[in-house]
Amino acid sequence: VQLQASGGGLAQAGGSLRLSCAASGLVFGDYYMAWFRQTPGKEREFVASITGRGSNIYYKDSVKGRFTISRDDGKSTAYLQMNSLKPEDTAVYYCAASLRVYFSGNYYSPSQYTYWGQGTLVTVSS
């Protein structure tokens, strides 16, 4: 299984970026997908998640209304559209996949995710 995250880069405050997570080696439509982020010295934190076929979506409070998670099961790809970016959004962003979350309900916990992408750096300048 591979998750390949891309789309990170440098943006100005108020700007936008779109992250992609291309998956291979799994039945993508079955998997719960999520985005997490991490800054140096801090724990990895939940950003957004989406169930297979997109029936349920959750967001971290601080990104609600600015970020949109989506998925294209035909392309085995998940996305994170990030608008109105703020300097505090600066982090390495990771995509993750899980089946376990369907049973635990703990979509916000990194420990529930089995597969991880390599991370893509997002830097937002003020």
Side-chain angles (χ1 to χ4, degrees):
V1 174
Q2 273 196 319
L3 300 180
Q4 183 71 36
S6 62
L10 177 64
Q12 289 189 333
S16 298
L17 286 172
R18 188 194 196 203
L19 306 184
S20 297
C21 176
S24 59
L26 74 168
V27 181
F28 183 78
D30 289 347
Y31 277 77
Y32 206 105
M33 297 299 298
W35 290 93
F36 288 78
R37 66 187 183 188
Q38 190 170 23
T39 54
K42 293 190 176 182
E43 293 186 355
R44 196 166 294 188
E45 67 173 8
F46 170 81
V47 175
S49 66
I50 185 168
T51 52
R53 289 170 286 282
S55 54
N56 286 299
I57 291 174
Y58 300 99
Y59 293 101
K60 176 181 174 63
D61 284 347
S62 63
V63 308
K64 284 181 182 177
R66 300 190 297 121
F67 290 11
T68 303
I69 189 171
S70 62
R71 62 191 296 157
D72 185 334
D73 291 349
K75 294 183 178 179
S76 296
T77 302
Y79 303 97
L80 186 67
Q81 177 67 44
M82 304 186 295
N83 298 329
S84 302
L85 283 163
K86 302 177 180 181
E88 51 264 44
D89 294 320
T90 295
V92 177
Y93 283 71
Y94 298 89
C95 59
S98 172
L99 291 176
R100 196 179 308 170
V101 173
Y102 288 113
F103 301 99
S104 70
N106 292 338
Y107 57 85
Y108 48 84
S109 174
S111 67
Q112 298 301 300
Y113 291 81
T114 305
Y115 303 112
W116 290 87
Q118 84 285 8
T120 185
L121 177 62
V122 171
T123 303
V124 183
S125 63
S126 58

